[in-house]
Amino acid sequence: MGKRLAVIFPGIGYHCDKPILYYSRKLAKEQEYKEIISLEYSYTEKNIRGNEKRMKEVFDVLYQQAEKLLETIDFSKYENVLFISKSVGTVISSAYAQKHKIRCKQILYTLEQTYKFEHPDAIAFLGTSDLWSNTANVKMLSNEQNVPIYMYKKADHSLETGDIIKDIEILEDVMKRTKKYL
């Protein structure tokens, strides 16, 4: 097994220590991804959802931060590269992989705008009550790119329903599917 690198691209409010990214990172370690980079970027503006101009601005600002954080990484020295991303991080990781022609596996805890980019080797997850995405569009776009997508009834952007036991069951299913993909 060659050298493996995993890069975690969080969302704005969904940082790397929240459940989905925390457990995904642990799964990556378990699967011999010895080097793991958890990105941290910041954006303080509010009222972004539904405002295309603000969403583009957020993407541009955070993408530049990701570029800076990853500029010293020589991706060519890794046999396996994995991008794990959540929310706006899915758009950033997808844009980054495409721009830099990085062959990588991608785990997308996703946003609709993610599908502006190609995903040759990816898996996606989405809640049916996610206010950040048109779930029907995401499902269609995912199918068009042959990206398996798993959707969770009544789950929000964090893949949570408000019922703690149900949320833990969803998290377990997501992690089982993530592990199988890895």
Side-chain angles (χ1 to χ4, degrees):
M1 191 178 306
K3 283 182 79 168
R4 294 175 154 220
L5 169 70
V7 182
I8 317 289
F9 294 80
I12 296 173
Y14 204 98
H15 54 75
C16 293
D17 287 330
K18 287 206 172 184
I20 293 169
L21 295 179
Y22 174 83
Y23 287 111
S24 295
R25 183 175 63 237
K26 289 181 82 76
L27 282 176
K29 280 184 184 173
E30 189 181 273
Q31 298 298 315
E32 304 296 321
Y33 285 87
K34 300 279 191 226
E35 291 182 57
I36 299 180
I37 299 169
S38 295
L39 298 184
E40 288 183 36
Y41 28 64
S42 60
Y43 189 82
T44 54
E45 298 296 318
K46 303 286 185 223
N47 302 318
I48 300 161
R49 188 175 65 223
N51 184 329
E52 281 299 316
K53 184 176 177 240
R54 298 282 297 276
M55 288 176 76
K56 171 85 171 97
E57 179 183 300
V58 170
F59 168 79
D60 291 340
V61 168
L62 298 183
Y63 183 84
Q64 289 310 314
Q65 291 178 40
E67 280 277 0
K68 187 106 183 96
L69 292 165
L70 295 172
E71 68 186 357
T72 62
I73 307 300
D74 177 5
F75 287 94
S76 68
K77 74 178 190 179
Y78 297 96
E79 187 175 307
N80 294 81
V81 175
L82 171 65
F83 284 179
I84 301 171
S85 54
K86 173 74 179 92
S87 190
V88 70
T90 63
V91 186
I92 295 165
S93 68
S94 299
Y96 190 88
Q98 190 167 304
K99 177 181 177 188
H100 295 281
K101 297 176 177 45
I102 296 170
R103 281 192 30 235
C104 61
K105 293 173 85 74
Q106 287 189 283
I107 301 169
L108 307 165
Y109 303 112
T110 199
L111 265 187
E112 189 171 347
Q113 293 82 355
T114 304
Y115 294 94
K116 292 178 181 175
F117 305 96
E118 293 298 315
H119 300 91
D121 188 353
I123 186 173
F125 300 87
L126 184 69
T128 62
S129 295
D130 186 336
L131 299 176
W132 285 87
S133 294
N134 176 320
T135 55
N137 279 353
V138 172
K139 187 174 185 173
M140 179 193 71
L141 294 166
S142 204
N143 289 335
E144 284 175 5
Q145 289 191 16
N146 294 313
V147 173
I149 186 163
Y150 299 95
M151 299 180 81
Y152 297 90
K153 283 191 187 317
K154 298 183 182 166
D156 65 13
H157 191 59
S158 296
L159 296 179
E160 295 176 345
T161 64
D163 175 335
I164 293 169
I165 300 304
K166 181 69 179 158
D167 296 348
I168 292 169
E169 290 169 358
I170 290 170
L171 182 62
E172 179 184 23
D173 187 70
V174 168
M175 291 306 121
K176 283 179 176 176
R177 292 178 188 282
T178 297
K179 183 175 183 172
K180 186 176 179 186
Y181 173 70
L182 291 174

